[in-house]
Amino acid sequence: MKTLHTNSSIDGLARGKAFIVRRDSTLGHISVGTIDYELKKFSSALLSVREDLSSLEGDVFAAHLEMLEDPVLTEQVENHIRFDGMGAVEASYSACEELASMFNEIDDEYLRARVDDVRDVFGRLIAALTGSSDNPFKDIPDGSVIVANELLPSDTAAMDFSKIRAFVTEKGSVTSHVSIIARSQGIPALIGLKGCLEEINDGDELLVNGTLGTLVVNPDSESSIQFDALLAIGEKTSEMISAAAFGRAVSPDGKEILVYGNAGNIDEVRIAIERGADGIGLFRSEFLYMQESSLPTEERQFEAYRDAARYCSGKPLTIRTLDIGGDKALPYLNLSKEDNPFLGFRAIRISLKRPDLFKTQIRAILRSSAYGNVRIMLPMISTLEEVKKAKELIVDCMAELDNEDVPYNENIEIGIMIETPAAAILADLLAGEVDFFSIGTNDLTQYIMAADRGNSDVASLYDPKNQAVLRAIGMAIDAATKAGIPVGICGEMASDLSATPILIGLGVDSLSVSAPSVAQIKYRINTLEI
Ligand code: PEP
Ligand code: MG
């Protein structure tokens, strides 16, 4: 028996047999032809991968196709063939490592996680060049724990999840593709378990504890019995939690609390609704912009919002307008470098300076409001004037659509995020101008405590449950309640089970959380005691 440990894991318990995925990372001997020959070989591999990707459905594969079309990728490989004496295969391996390390250095967690996509695209290219495109998951036995160096989107696309109990990988982080998939499939995962491939053999008995981040290989009978007892408790609790997902969440004093989902794309909207969310409390529209290499057109945005509205089938879909700046970059906007990006040109400040950009988005949102219960939410508000100006632009868009005879919901609700100290302090004035408040505790905490949300050196100050933050939250809730408008929380604090009684006690009407937390939060609300 051996026990291994990692700090990066996705919650849950599983027992299963190891199914090891080994990739041959050595090149072996591959003969190199003339430059022309190798260039041709590369371009026909490109063509065949392009065809494969075009035939697959899903946002991930559309993003891979786009990556493949990027001249930076092809030039990098072709230059290695032309100038470094490499064959197409070696050139692809080298370009892959160079691009992957470039992404790894980016100071943005979301973009850093795109390393998986780079490796995946090159994996396909190399498979096409070497003619080895076997699906390693074809004969996977029921009850398997997948153990691999890393797992890429094309791997998970080929998997039958009903046979998989858990993932264990040597590489990756909690924002890697494998973590996202584990969370959305409700499968536990141990990520970044260095050296595990040396410790585990195919078919070994594995006990995966994603909650503690531990892996037991070939357990002795005592560990095995203890783990089964844990599994039994886990199953009982998760049955009760799952049962709460599609019901109403009611606080001990009889008030219904809506539990919404947070989403960054259409798949996440669908998953949240499928997991019992009462609607979408935060659709982070900036991810739609970040996936593109130029501003998405009105039509492209309209289609995305309309599809999301359809998934919500009558439940609220709260679309937050572009929240770029701070830690979210949009390179093609060519914004100047700032010394204090979190205190700078971001979110609504950009939208009001660039009405062309804002109006394109508002028109798309308004058009989608004809297909569901769509709401508009303005991020990073700090003055009353910002709200008034944004509303004027929204009214302009409505007039344009009237002239064009395009349908939309004239009574669309317009709300704001309370995520700056100014907005919390002015909440009583702001409440008179809008239909709802949503408190963004991620930013509100960093601005109230003057502690960067991404800086681990000040992590002890960055505490949403600090008295100062709670007072700001309380001010916003009181102002909303007095004005008779609903108020919710959409920051990560809403998913924190230890914060639930505090937030309910302060008087929130809704909590907007990540999809897998919907059932847990509803269960938590229903089992609170006064
Ligand atoms: C927040 O600030 O709490 C929030 C929900 O917005 P984001 O995390 O996208 O900045
Ligand atoms: Mg925010």
Side-chain angles (χ1 to χ4, degrees):
M1 174 174 116
K2 270 174 241 153
T3 304
L4 309 173
H5 184 262
T6 173
N7 289 327
S8 307
S9 57
I10 307 297
D11 246 7
L13 303 171
R15 174 197 276 277
K17 293 248 187 274
F19 181 90
I20 302 211
V21 184
R22 284 188 204 282
R23 283 201 184 76
D24 187 10
S25 57
T26 54
L27 287 180
H29 177 73
I30 296 171
S31 59
V32 176
T34 62
I35 290 178
D36 269 355
Y37 173 79
E38 294 296 331
L39 285 172
K40 275 204 192 104
K41 203 163 128 186
F42 175 60
S43 84
S44 67
L46 257 183
L47 209 66
S48 97
V49 175
R50 227 174 252 161
E51 274 171 16
D52 283 354
L53 283 173
S54 316
S55 67
L56 295 171
E57 281 186 24
D59 287 354
V60 171
F61 301 113
H64 287 186
L65 194 57
E66 201 173 303
M67 196 176 271
L68 205 62
E69 312 274 337
D70 191 333
V72 173
L73 183 151
T74 38
E75 270 169 28
Q76 196 117 342
V77 178
E78 286 169 359
N79 284 345
H80 281 315
I81 297 176
R82 279 201 184 92
F83 308 116
D84 302 326
M86 292 185 191
V89 178
E90 193 189 354
S92 301
Y93 268 110
S94 300
C96 174
E97 289 314 315
E98 286 150 12
L99 288 174
S101 67
M102 207 173 83
F103 270 90
N104 256 330
E105 279 160 22
I106 295 177
D107 192 22
D108 176 304
E109 214 175 354
Y110 176 80
L111 289 176
R112 233 179 8 249
R114 304 284 71 75
V115 168
D116 285 355
D117 298 311
V118 172
R119 292 196 185 282
D120 201 353
V121 165
F122 275 101
R124 284 175 183 275
L125 273 172
I126 291 162
L129 285 164
T130 55
S132 62
S133 52
D134 271 2
N135 170 8
F137 305 102
K138 211 170 42 216
D139 303 316
I140 186 167
D142 205 4
S144 293
V145 173
I146 307 287
V147 183
N149 182 253
E150 62 184 335
L151 289 169
L152 302 171
S154 58
D155 295 324
T156 52
M159 285 177 187
D160 174 355
F161 293 111
S162 67
K163 295 184 171 166
I164 296 171
R165 299 266 169 87
F167 295 123
V168 177
T169 63
E170 289 199 321
K171 284 192 185 168
S173 70
V174 286
T175 52
S176 302
H177 176 75
V178 60
S179 305
I180 294 167
I181 292 293
R183 259 189 229 105
S184 70
Q185 295 292 330
I187 294 173
L190 302 173
I191 317 288
L193 201 70
K194 294 200 176 63
C196 66
L197 281 169
E198 278 156 32
E199 305 286 346
I200 305 170
N201 294 309
D202 245 330
D204 276 353
E205 181 77 16
L206 301 180
L207 306 181
V208 177
N209 187 332
T211 314
L212 297 180
T214 55
L215 176 73
V216 180
V217 187
N218 295 326
D220 56 25
S221 65
E222 196 186 325
S223 308
S224 193
I225 292 167
Q226 274 174 3
F227 195 80
D228 281 343
L230 272 183
L231 271 175
I233 297 171
E235 265 165 35
K236 188 84 208 113
T237 320
S238 59
E239 270 168 29
M240 290 192 299
I241 291 175
S242 308
F246 294 93
R248 284 152 37 101
V250 180
S251 73
D253 52 2
K255 171 174 162 183
E256 180 175 9
I257 309 293
L258 296 170
V259 179
Y260 295 135
N262 288 349
N265 57 43
I266 301 194
D267 277 345
E268 288 178 9
V269 170
R270 180 179 51 75
I271 292 169
I273 298 295
E274 281 172 7
R275 292 193 170 200
D278 297 317
I280 299 296
L282 168 62
F283 182 84
R284 291 183 160 101
S285 70
E286 55 275 9
F287 288 108
L288 196 69
Y289 288 70
M290 287 160 79
Q291 281 161 11
E292 311 270 329
S293 49
S294 58
L295 284 169
T297 60
E298 178 183 320
E299 206 54 30
R300 163 96 182 88
Q301 292 190 57
F302 160 65
E303 283 166 12
Y305 304 148
R306 178 201 58 200
D307 292 351
R310 282 180 172 154
Y311 278 131
C312 290
S313 46
K315 293 176 178 169
L317 166 68
T318 315
I319 304 178
R320 177 173 74 182
T321 61
L322 184 61
D323 182 19
I324 217 70
D327 59 345
K328 294 175 212 147
L330 200 57
Y332 56 80
L333 267 192
N334 291 322
L335 299 174
S336 348
K337 188 170 162 18
E338 297 176 286
D339 287 339
N340 285 307
F342 275 119
L343 300 182
F345 196 42
R346 62 172 293 204
I348 194 71
R349 302 169 184 186
I350 299 181
S351 293
L352 295 180
K353 269 259 170 67
R354 290 282 310 267
D356 54 321
L357 203 145
F358 186 60
K359 284 177 74 180
T360 303
Q361 178 167 38
I362 294 295
R363 282 179 56 101
I365 298 176
L366 285 173
R367 286 172 60 194
S368 74
S369 70
Y371 297 84
N373 183 1
V374 174
R375 317 196 295 173
I376 298 175
M377 181 155 79
L378 308 168
M380 277 293 293
I381 290 294
S382 33
T383 70
L384 196 57
E385 288 66 37
E386 284 169 341
V387 180
K388 288 187 174 159
K389 184 80 193 106
K391 281 170 68 182
E392 276 167 24
L393 291 168
I394 295 171
V395 170
D396 286 352
C397 293
M398 287 178 166
E400 285 174 19
L401 294 177
D402 285 338
N403 279 337
E404 295 161 27
D405 259 343
V406 177
Y408 65 92
N409 173 13
E410 289 164 26
N411 300 315
I412 189 166
E413 289 184 16
I414 302 171
I416 56 170
M417 296 209 39
I418 304 287
E419 49 185 347
T420 65
I425 293 165
L426 295 179
D428 55 336
L429 301 180
L430 295 167
E433 281 294 326
V434 296
D435 299 309
F436 63 91
F437 279 171
S438 186
I439 305 175
T441 46
N442 304 343
D443 275 316
L444 186 63
T445 306
Q446 78 164 342
Y447 292 129
I448 293 273
M449 299 306 297
D452 185 333
R453 64 196 259 188
N455 184 342
S456 52
D457 289 337
V458 291
S460 60
L461 275 175
Y462 182 85
D463 175 15
K465 283 184 280 182
N466 180 291
Q467 185 72 8
V469 185
L470 293 180
R471 283 193 194 188
I473 295 174
M475 283 169 78
I477 295 176
D478 289 348
T481 311
K482 274 204 191 98
I485 59 169
V487 53
I489 308 276
C490 66
E492 294 308 306
M493 186 186 198
S495 308
D496 175 359
L497 295 169
S498 70
T500 317
I502 306 174
L503 298 174
I504 302 293
L506 286 172
V508 291
D509 300 302
S510 64
L511 295 173
S512 194
V513 303
S514 61
S517 297
V518 169
Q520 259 183 343
I521 290 290
K522 284 195 178 185
Y523 180 71
R524 175 86 170 118
I525 296 169
N526 285 338
T527 51
L528 283 177
E529 286 168 16
I530 290 187

